[in-house]
Amino acid sequence: MAAGGGSSSLQLPCVFSPKSRQYLALCAQDGRLRIWNTDSKTLHQEYVPSAHLSATCICITWGPCRTVKEGPQRKKRKSEAGQVEEKADLLAMGTAAGTVLIYSTAKGSLHCTLDGGHSGAVNCVQWHPEDSILYSGSDDTNIVEWDLQTGKTRSKWKADRAAVTSLAVSPDGKLLLSAGQVIKMWDLDTKEVYRKFTGHSTAVTTLCFATTRPPDSNGLYFLSGAAHDRLLSVWQVREDGKDKNSVVSFTLTDEPQHIDLVTSNSKEEALRMAVVCKDGQLHLFEHFLNGPCKKPMSPSCTVQMSDTKDSPVPIPLLAAGLGADTQSILLAYGNHLQPVMEKVKINTSERHICLTRDVQTSLSLSIETAVSKVKTPIVNTNSKVLVPGLPGHQAPVKGTAQGLEKRKKDADTKEMSIAERIGEIDLSSVSKGRGAPKGTVSLQTDNFAVLLVQGLESSDANILNKVFQTRKEMVIKKTVARLPLPAVLPLVEEITKRLQGHPFTAVLMVRWLKAVLMHHTSYLASLPDLVTQLGVLYHMIESRVKMFHKLTKLHGKLYLLMTQVATSDSSNTVTDVDHTAKLVYEEESSDEDEASGDEGLPDHDSDNWEEEEEEAAMEEKMEEDKEEHADEEEDPGNRTDSKANGEEDMEHGDESEEE
């Protein structure tokens, strides 16, 4: 069972054909479909879609093996008539334009095109194991059931709120798994949801059924993998419906890119699985599925590949296919444009295996076998080549000394010991070549992740201080993302120690803690003794949060007090208001008119005159009691004087009113 229908757009699809593993189908960066023969290690067929540049191929899935008619054949004998060979023929490809292409390897051409079902890119394609039916999931959140005999849609229904990124059909053909982030199990007869599962925090890229047992017996299991998730989760379909959470998890070094498994038919038969990760490593698992398992399962064997140079470079694995026995595995590695297929026997008793291969020689051999019309001239050392240009100009083409190369190859057959190699390493020359000052040795470190792992293993404070002093969010995120899983817990412990120190360092450590929790939450949650290991960190954060609540209250009260003090100070500093008028307006009036008016109107001012006469009389009585009779006789003269005094008082009163 080759699982390749759930590949994301960032991953180039690469799938072995089912059962015999005779073919390897993959789409490279140029958008072309190439089918390689694994037996002869040659390119079998190549197909260029008409819209291979605008509508790239996102997913590839082989159809079930079937009997194929290949042109005129001779009549078979009676003994051969019952032995009909089934071959992998049809291949379904989902494109970014929303179409599904069906390619036939027997014809070597396009079988049909399924169009009109999706309005978004097709992310996953799955075949029905028996009927000629195909299921496809797209970015438009719909699942389409296609009839391959008519080339039209049989049914279409909305599967999720988000894009459908992966599909899987049960071995009996009655159930369908679909996933965006939540995993749903559909009954294909009624097209209704049979079960719901929690799923992953990111988009699910892989869904596979792990057992062939019916769902009524509590023995139906399936597994799922998601983008940016280093765990494969196994889910159990139970009768009581209490199956929302995963029962088993397998730990990986990176997100899964290709999964091949041998399904388990009974409880006594173990599940065998080969997982190729995004980092190019192969992990082999063997587990008996019988209920939940709290501890995450680590791989029984991990396989890596590297070249044969002095400083080995890893070779990425593209796909893997399990053989009939437990030790034989078919590997595809190298480049998508020209992969290398090889059957390998692996000793699964060893935990880590590193295979060394010379990819350059194998690539050059396969290129030389191809037919080429271009002939390169053989140039000897004695011959001279004339190049147009200035006279006396040396030719850039130099003859190859074949005898010297043979001697060098013979001399390199004796391998040097490790001590001799270490002795020949000249660090000073390396530092000079990279522009470092003389006398200093430059450490060749790839990135901060290497430095961080070295600092955690050696508990070197200088290295850790250098790494932790960075403030760039992207550097912190990438460093934490590249960390291997065994270094996550030591990093958390180091962060906990530094958080308990000075607040300045605690501010920097919070950024690292945030990045660790964002990238490695799934791994931390799978640890059985997580509470004891993170207890100190939890209690410290809780105590800091309690103090923070009190500090915020104190800050609020102090803020109110400070604002009141500031307002009172500002009110005291306000200057007194100047009450003097900026502008005075006076009406025009004459004293003569007033005097004439007073003479003509004796009744109006008579009251004022009488009051003034009484006041003058009272004063005169107090001063001169003897002259009372004389004042009464001289009344007309006093009246004239009082009138003049009254006019003067009126003028002073008018001036005060106008002011």
Side-chain angles (χ1 to χ4, degrees):
M1 176 181 175
S7 301
S8 65
S9 59
L10 296 176
Q11 299 173 358
L12 297 172
C14 177
V15 194
F16 282 111
S17 62
K19 292 186 180 180
S20 64
R21 320 279 187 199
Q22 186 180 2
Y23 299 116
L24 173 69
L26 50 83
C27 266
Q29 294 88 344
D30 56 358
R32 301 186 178 192
L33 171 69
R34 291 182 176 86
I35 299 174
W36 297 81
N37 193 328
T38 57
D39 297 330
S40 61
K41 312 287 191 301
T42 55
L43 183 62
H44 180 61
Q45 289 174 5
E46 183 175 3
Y47 171 69
V48 184
S50 58
H52 68 286
L53 296 177
S54 59
T56 56
C57 176
I58 297 177
C59 55
I60 296 177
T61 309
W62 285 94
C65 296
R66 62 172 192 164
T67 55
V68 182
K69 295 180 180 179
E70 297 181 353
Q73 295 179 347
R74 62 177 178 81
K75 291 184 179 181
K76 296 183 178 179
R77 300 175 183 174
K78 291 183 179 180
S79 60
E80 296 177 353
Q83 300 175 356
V84 179
E85 186 181 1
E86 292 184 345
K87 292 184 178 180
D89 176 27
L90 296 180
L91 191 69
M93 296 181 291
T95 64
T99 59
V100 180
L101 307 177
I102 308 297
Y103 181 81
S104 174
T105 56
K107 298 178 182 177
S109 61
L110 196 65
H111 181 67
C112 64
T113 302
L114 307 178
D115 198 0
H118 293 291
S119 59
V122 178
N123 296 321
C124 46
V125 182
Q126 281 294 328
W127 296 78
H128 195 278
E130 297 173 359
D131 303 331
S132 58
I133 299 173
L134 188 74
Y135 298 94
S136 60
S138 171
D139 282 344
D140 59 3
T141 71
N142 293 323
I143 297 176
V144 176
E145 184 180 34
W146 301 90
D147 189 352
L148 295 179
Q149 294 181 351
T150 60
K152 297 180 180 179
T153 60
R154 292 182 57 178
S155 62
K156 178 180 179 180
W157 69 94
K158 186 177 178 63
D160 204 340
R161 293 181 181 178
V164 181
T165 55
S166 188
L167 292 174
V169 183
S170 61
D172 57 359
K174 295 180 180 179
L175 299 173
L176 175 70
L177 285 171
S178 72
Q181 291 183 354
V182 179
I183 302 174
K184 294 181 181 179
M185 182 174 281
W186 304 84
D187 188 350
L188 288 177
D189 295 333
T190 61
K191 304 295 188 296
E192 293 180 355
V193 177
Y194 180 68
R195 292 286 165 82
K196 273 187 181 182
F197 303 90
T198 308
H200 298 259
S201 59
T202 54
V204 178
T205 56
T206 305
L207 283 175
C208 298
F209 276 92
T211 57
T212 57
R213 287 164 267 177
D216 301 335
S217 62
N218 281 345
L220 186 63
Y221 293 84
F222 69 92
L223 58 92
S224 64
H228 312 296
D229 197 348
R230 300 180 183 181
L231 284 177
L232 274 179
S233 301
V234 180
W235 312 79
Q236 182 182 14
V237 184
R238 299 176 58 178
E239 289 180 342
D240 53 5
K242 298 178 181 179
D243 47 13
K244 291 187 177 180
N245 298 324
S246 62
V247 292
V248 186
S249 57
F250 298 104
T251 59
L252 305 172
T253 55
D254 206 340
E255 65 176 271
Q257 189 169 0
H258 180 275
I259 296 178
D260 185 51
L261 53 84
V262 177
T263 55
S264 171
N265 299 319
S266 63
K267 292 182 179 180
E268 291 77 19
E269 187 178 354
L271 168 72
R272 291 173 52 220
M273 184 169 55
V275 183
V276 177
C277 295
K278 195 176 180 180
D279 58 358
Q281 298 187 37
L282 169 66
H283 302 285
L284 302 177
F285 296 93
E286 190 168 352
H287 180 65
F288 290 93
L289 294 174
N290 189 9
C293 180
K294 294 183 179 179
K295 188 176 181 181
M297 306 295 297
S298 57
S300 59
C301 182
T302 301
V303 181
Q304 288 180 291
M305 299 200 76
S306 65
D307 55 11
T308 56
K309 296 180 181 178
D310 294 336
S311 57
V313 178
I315 301 171
L317 287 163
L318 304 178
L322 294 170
D325 55 344
T326 57
Q327 292 186 345
S328 64
I329 296 177
L330 179 61
L331 299 177
Y333 56 88
N335 191 4
H336 279 82
L337 293 170
Q338 183 120 17
V340 182
M341 287 78 67
E342 183 182 356
K343 286 185 179 179
V344 181
K345 284 198 173 183
I346 294 176
N347 185 9
T348 54
S349 59
E350 297 181 12
R351 294 296 299 271
H352 296 279
I353 298 174
C354 184
L355 304 175
T356 56
R357 297 288 185 273
D358 192 0
V359 183
Q360 296 296 329
T361 56
S362 58
L363 283 176
S364 61
L365 286 173
S366 58
I367 291 170
E368 284 175 5
T369 53
V371 178
S372 177
K373 295 181 180 180
V374 180
K375 294 183 179 181
T376 56
I378 300 172
V379 183
N380 297 324
T381 53
N382 298 327
S383 60
K384 293 181 180 180
V385 180
L386 298 177
V387 179
L390 296 173
H393 185 69
Q394 293 183 355
V397 182
K398 295 182 180 179
T400 57
Q402 298 176 357
L404 293 174
E405 286 184 356
K406 290 181 180 179
R407 289 177 186 175
K408 287 181 181 179
K409 288 181 180 179
D410 295 335
D412 289 336
T413 54
K414 296 180 181 179
E415 293 185 356
M416 298 172 64
S417 63
I418 296 175
E420 292 175 350
R421 288 185 180 181
I422 293 173
E424 288 190 355
I425 292 175
D426 188 5
L427 289 175
S428 60
S429 63
V430 175
S431 62
K432 290 174 186 175
R434 296 200 175 188
K438 295 181 179 180
T440 59
V441 179
S442 64
L443 294 174
Q444 296 182 5
T445 54
D446 295 334
N447 46 30
F448 269 23
V450 177
L451 277 177
L452 186 57
V453 172
Q454 291 177 357
L456 291 173
E457 289 178 353
S458 61
S459 63
D460 191 343
N462 294 328
I463 296 178
L464 292 176
N465 289 335
K466 183 180 178 182
V467 175
F468 286 143
Q469 280 174 359
T470 180
R471 294 172 177 268
K472 296 180 180 178
E473 293 288 341
M474 289 302 298
V475 175
I476 294 173
K477 287 181 181 179
K478 289 181 179 180
T479 303
V480 173
R482 292 175 181 174
L483 274 184
L485 290 180
V488 174
L489 268 180
L491 176 61
V492 173
E493 293 173 359
E494 184 66 28
I495 290 173
T496 307
K497 289 180 185 177
R498 291 173 178 258
L499 278 172
Q500 295 172 356
H502 196 273
F504 179 73
T505 58
V507 171
L508 296 176
M509 289 300 103
V510 166
R511 300 182 181 180
W512 286 89
L513 181 63
K514 178 183 175 183
V516 171
L517 294 178
M518 285 175 62
H519 284 280
H520 301 288
T521 304
S522 56
Y523 168 69
L524 291 173
S526 63
L527 297 175
D529 53 346
L530 179 67
V531 179
T532 58
Q533 290 177 343
L534 298 184
V536 178
L537 179 64
Y538 175 73
H539 289 303
M540 185 190 60
I541 292 175
E542 192 176 6
S543 63
R544 291 278 178 92
V545 169
K546 286 181 179 177
M547 290 299 295
F548 181 73
H549 185 60
K550 295 178 182 178
L551 287 172
T552 49
K553 282 188 174 181
L554 179 62
H555 179 265
K557 292 179 180 178
L558 289 174
Y559 180 73
L560 289 175
L561 286 173
M562 293 300 292
T563 51
Q564 288 179 0
V565 171
T567 51
S568 63
D569 292 342
S570 63
S571 64
N572 292 332
T573 56
V574 173
T575 57
D576 295 334
V577 180
D578 189 7
H579 295 286
T580 58
K582 300 292 183 183
L583 178 67
V584 177
Y585 174 73
E586 295 181 359
E587 293 183 356
E588 295 180 357
S589 61
S590 62
D591 297 338
E592 295 176 356
D593 295 339
E594 289 177 0
S596 62
D598 292 341
E599 290 175 356
L601 298 171
D603 298 333
H604 180 71
D605 297 327
S606 62
D607 297 334
N608 295 332
W609 293 339
E610 288 174 358
E611 290 176 0
E612 292 170 0
E613 287 171 1
E614 288 175 0
E615 291 176 0
M618 288 296 290
E619 291 175 358
E620 290 174 357
K621 281 179 182 180
M622 292 294 291
E623 294 176 356
E624 300 176 356
D625 294 333
K626 296 179 181 182
E627 297 179 355
E628 290 181 358
H629 299 287
D631 294 334
E632 289 177 359
E633 291 176 357
E634 295 176 356
D635 191 20
N638 290 333
R639 279 193 177 183
T640 56
D641 296 335
S642 63
K643 183 178 180 182
N645 293 331
E647 289 175 356
E648 291 175 1
D649 294 336
M650 286 293 292
E651 288 176 2
H652 289 297
D654 292 340
E655 288 178 3
S656 63
E657 287 178 1
E658 287 173 359
E659 288 179 0

